[in-house]
Amino acid sequence: MRSVYLDHAATTLVDPRVLKKMLPYFSENFGNPDSLHACGRRAVAAVDDARDVVAALLGASASEIYFTSGGTEADNWAMRGAAHAADGKHIVVGATEHHAVLGAAEMLAGEGYAVSYAPVDAQGKADLPALSSLVRGDTALVAFMAANNEVGTVQPVAQVAEIAHERGALFFTDAVQAAGCMELNVRKLGADLLSLSAHKFYGPKGVGALYIRGGTPMAKLISGGQQERGMRGGTVNVPGVVGMAEAFRLACAEREERNAHISRVRDLFVEGILREVPGSVLGGHPEDRLPGNAHFTFEGAPAEALLPLLDLAGVQASAGAACSSGSHEPSHVLLAMGRPRSLSRGVRFTFGKDSSEEDALFAVSAVRDCVARLRTK
Ligand code: PLP
């Protein structure tokens, strides 16, 4: 039976070219980069090269890149590290952030920080005047993601950075979903902190990076050895960072070609759904959205009932963070966009570089049939 993977925002497969680069660091070059002998020196050279590549692709210096265990760690470090090192006890966080950021904000709230949630409009875009009114003299940090993982809306990051900086606050952007699809130059964006995760752009899971602008006051999240210039204890995941750098390099080099292909396939799917499935509502921004993202809510066919049916029919999609963990709670992203609870459990279909037009057409028929079955129940 045909099976179509439309969950690239959850994770992607490792590109064979990336895997090839990684493999020697599991075997002949297995050294610990902290060892001073030849084996360790080979590992340290690989980590240095990877750091150079990631830095250059972000328009940063190598000394500003810190490798982490993924996007969640980078997000937690950005939030907690910046807040703990600052004088101000207030932070502003986008209402549609990933749970890694929201969770860190909740922990800070538990420690006595005041947290304000910056609203978005019905298409998931930052409401800039509202955000501006939330930033105060004691605001340590403003966190706003570059692109949303659920509905794909791309945010006016440079403008948010400007608002934060006008009041002397730091600006952090979670670029986990944007990386690879969008140009990310930290200077142009005005980011003081920016997080990445390799498995979203055809790299391995369990490795990410945090960009920390040189001179930014920052506390540690993980203490231990002197790795990562004494800022993040723990032996660096050498094959992981090698893979991350190669995956990021390929994603940036092939960005235009990939985006053109992915958005064409995605648009075919969106047009098909809107034509063939009455009562389907496209979520997110009509133009400013990630190329692979199509988010739909189907009246009378809630995500938690639709997703298992789609899976049986050979279409693998997801519901964004809440439902994927087995909960049937409405999505905080859709609620923040002003949706009523009845329309706040949608399905996220995310296309990737290897998705085909046939995949899109197959998925349209599967969605049409599964939604019809649920509605006649
Ligand atoms: N931030 C965003 C926007 C994400 O979409 C994700 C993953 O889904 C993360 C952070 C967490 O990244 P990781 O899976 O590497 O911990």
Side-chain angles (χ1 to χ4, degrees):
M1 199 191 84
R2 192 179 176 120
S3 176
V4 173
Y5 181 78
L6 297 182
D7 204 8
H8 292 83
T11 198
T12 55
L13 84 163
V14 175
D15 188 309
R17 295 169 290 180
V18 170
L19 182 61
K20 194 168 169 223
K21 277 256 177 178
M22 292 172 67
L23 285 177
Y25 296 95
F26 288 104
S27 48
E28 63 264 33
N29 295 333
F30 64 91
N32 184 327
D34 303 315
S35 303
L36 298 176
H37 47 58
C39 201
R41 284 199 302 275
R42 280 199 295 279
V44 99
V47 173
D48 286 349
D49 285 351
R51 201 185 309 281
D52 287 345
V53 169
V54 173
L57 294 169
L58 292 175
S61 313
S63 61
E64 297 174 312
I65 304 298
Y66 296 82
F67 291 118
T68 67
S69 65
T72 299
E73 184 192 325
D75 284 352
N76 273 269
W77 187 11
M79 297 288 294
R80 295 170 60 71
H84 288 160
D87 294 331
K89 290 275 178 277
H90 174 239
I91 59 173
V92 176
V93 184
T96 59
E97 293 297 299
H98 189 270
H99 285 294
V101 172
L102 293 176
E106 277 163 30
M107 287 177 82
L108 287 168
E111 293 168 21
Y113 288 79
V115 182
S116 303
Y117 293 91
V120 296
D121 65 17
Q123 296 169 333
K125 277 258 187 200
D127 176 341
L128 294 176
L131 186 139
S132 181
S133 71
L134 294 173
V135 186
R136 335 189 289 216
D138 66 339
T139 305
L141 178 72
V142 175
F144 220 101
M145 66 202 324
N148 184 262
N149 48 298
E150 209 168 307
V151 296
T153 302
V154 172
Q155 299 295 350
V157 170
Q159 285 165 273
V160 178
E162 230 176 279
I163 293 170
H165 291 157
E166 271 166 17
R167 314 280 161 80
L170 292 173
F171 174 61
F172 160 53
T173 191
D174 171 338
V176 166
Q177 292 288 337
C181 314
M182 287 165 54
E183 191 204 350
L184 290 176
N185 179 299
V186 289
R187 316 267 178 240
K188 286 192 203 161
L189 295 174
D192 301 297
L193 300 150
L194 179 146
S195 59
L196 298 176
S197 174
H199 73 105
K200 307 293 184 176
F201 46 78
Y202 305 92
K205 292 168 189 56
V207 58
L210 182 64
Y211 156 79
I212 305 176
R213 186 178 49 74
T216 304
M218 202 62 188
K220 288 185 209 181
L221 181 71
I222 296 178
S223 57
Q226 286 306 302
Q227 292 92 351
E228 298 299 277
R229 281 90 74 211
M231 287 298 286
R232 194 264 183 193
T235 304
V236 172
N237 172 358
V238 182
V241 304
V242 167
M244 175 172 188
E246 180 64 356
F248 198 29
R249 188 186 71 73
L250 290 167
C252 295
E254 298 172 1
R255 185 169 60 227
E256 276 181 34
E257 195 187 316
R258 284 188 195 182
N259 283 355
H261 168 76
I262 295 171
S263 55
R264 191 175 62 247
V265 173
R266 187 270 320 266
D267 289 348
L268 194 68
F269 174 77
V270 169
E271 284 155 23
I273 294 291
L274 292 174
R275 190 177 57 242
E276 303 210 14
V277 190
S280 48
V281 182
L282 180 66
H285 196 279
E287 287 104 38
D288 293 342
R289 64 187 307 135
L290 291 171
N293 178 290
H295 181 281
F296 278 105
T297 317
F298 303 100
E299 283 164 23
E304 67 274 15
L306 185 55
L307 285 167
L309 276 189
L310 282 174
D311 192 20
L312 285 174
V315 174
Q316 297 162 68
S318 75
C323 279
S324 58
S325 62
S327 123
H328 294 165
E329 283 303 301
S331 141
H332 72 282
V333 174
L334 298 180
L335 290 178
M337 287 160 58
R339 293 274 188 96
R341 286 178 84 83
S342 59
L343 278 180
S344 61
R345 285 171 298 164
V347 180
R348 172 184 79 176
F349 303 90
T350 44
F351 293 80
K353 69 183 178 68
D354 303 314
S355 303
S356 66
E357 295 189 356
E358 292 73 41
D359 291 341
L361 297 176
F362 173 79
V364 170
S365 341
V367 172
R368 183 196 54 213
D369 297 350
C370 293
V371 169
R373 265 174 65 193
L374 283 176
R375 283 178 179 162
T376 52
K377 268 193 179 170

